Amino acid sequence: MAILKNVELYFAKLDPKRPNATFNTENPTWEVQIRTKDKKQAAEWKALNISVKPDEDSDGKMFYKATLKKKSKKKDKSSGELVANEPVQVVSGSLEKIDPSKIGNGSIANVRLFQYEYEMAGKKGIASMLMAVQITKLNEYIPKPREDDFEMTDFEVNTVAEANGVDNSDDEDF
């Protein structure tokens, strides 16, 4: 297991009930983008065989990013069928559980990975699976209300049969 310390988190999709199905509807993933502005830290990630890419923010400042994932389903060793995988654990600095939907962009965390060797189509490598996230600085995500949302209004319920004074209990057509 590897632990990446003091990483910035972006686009966290870690809700156990709602893994990201954008790219794979049959086996959605829990995922988070990690970022750093530190070249040395990015080099450490590369040394761990993490696919790190350079990018620029809106101010033109350079940063390095990588996306870490965990599939929501894994193959059962005996049957070969897909079975539910344990979700990514999300805790605070004091190891108490945190609601993953509250993680906002720019939160700081330590990230635990499980790394393993693989061979696929004659290609060998080391893969990283996201296992746990320890939030050390939470930028709490609070969704903005939409400008075109509904307002509170009166709500009335009428049962159609009662409202018309009609008893439909003997209708054979329904």
Side-chain angles (χ1 to χ4, degrees):
M1 296 255 185
I3 295 181
L4 310 178
K5 296 200 175 229
N6 296 317
V7 302
E8 280 186 83
L9 303 180
Y10 283 80
F11 313 114
K13 294 175 179 80
L14 301 172
D15 184 340
K17 296 175 185 150
R18 297 185 61 210
N20 182 13
T22 304
F23 301 108
N24 188 338
T25 55
E26 294 194 20
N27 195 356
T29 57
W30 295 292
E31 57 191 59
V32 66
Q33 185 183 99
I34 59 171
R35 293 185 183 181
T36 185
K37 293 177 180 119
D38 183 358
K39 270 187 175 181
K40 183 179 173 188
Q41 188 176 32
E44 290 170 3
W45 297 352
K46 278 189 175 190
L48 289 169
N49 294 297
I50 296 171
S51 177
V52 180
K53 297 177 181 154
D55 205 341
E56 285 185 12
D57 64 17
S58 57
D59 297 329
K61 294 181 182 174
M62 178 69 77
F63 68 91
Y64 303 90
K65 67 181 182 179
T67 300
L68 303 173
K69 300 178 181 188
K70 182 177 187 179
K71 293 179 180 181
S72 61
K73 298 175 185 171
K74 62 183 177 181
K75 276 191 181 179
D76 180 82
K77 291 179 182 174
S78 58
S79 69
E81 292 183 29
L82 290 178
V83 295
N85 211 351
E86 287 292 317
V88 174
Q89 182 183 17
V90 181
V91 297
S92 68
S94 59
L95 303 180
E96 294 180 30
K97 288 188 177 189
I98 289 182
D99 178 358
S101 67
K102 299 288 184 193
I103 301 171
N105 289 344
S107 293
I108 306 296
N110 300 324
V111 177
R112 189 175 76 219
L113 304 174
F114 174 70
Q115 294 191 297
Y116 57 96
E117 293 181 5
Y118 72 89
E119 184 175 341
M120 192 164 98
K123 220 177 179 185
K124 292 182 180 183
I126 296 177
S128 298
M129 183 188 328
L130 179 62
M131 298 301 288
V133 175
Q134 181 185 34
I135 305 294
T136 58
K137 177 185 166 192
L138 178 64
N139 288 346
E140 189 172 5
Y141 172 71
I142 301 170
K144 293 181 197 172
R146 294 173 38 148
E147 290 179 17
D148 63 345
D149 263 354
F150 293 112
E151 296 177 5
M152 291 281 284
T153 186
D154 291 335
F155 176 66
E156 186 178 317
V157 176
N158 293 319
T159 304
V160 175
E162 287 179 9
N164 294 331
V166 177
D167 180 11
N168 290 332
S169 60
D170 292 337
D171 274 354
E172 293 180 22
D173 295 338
F174 295 103

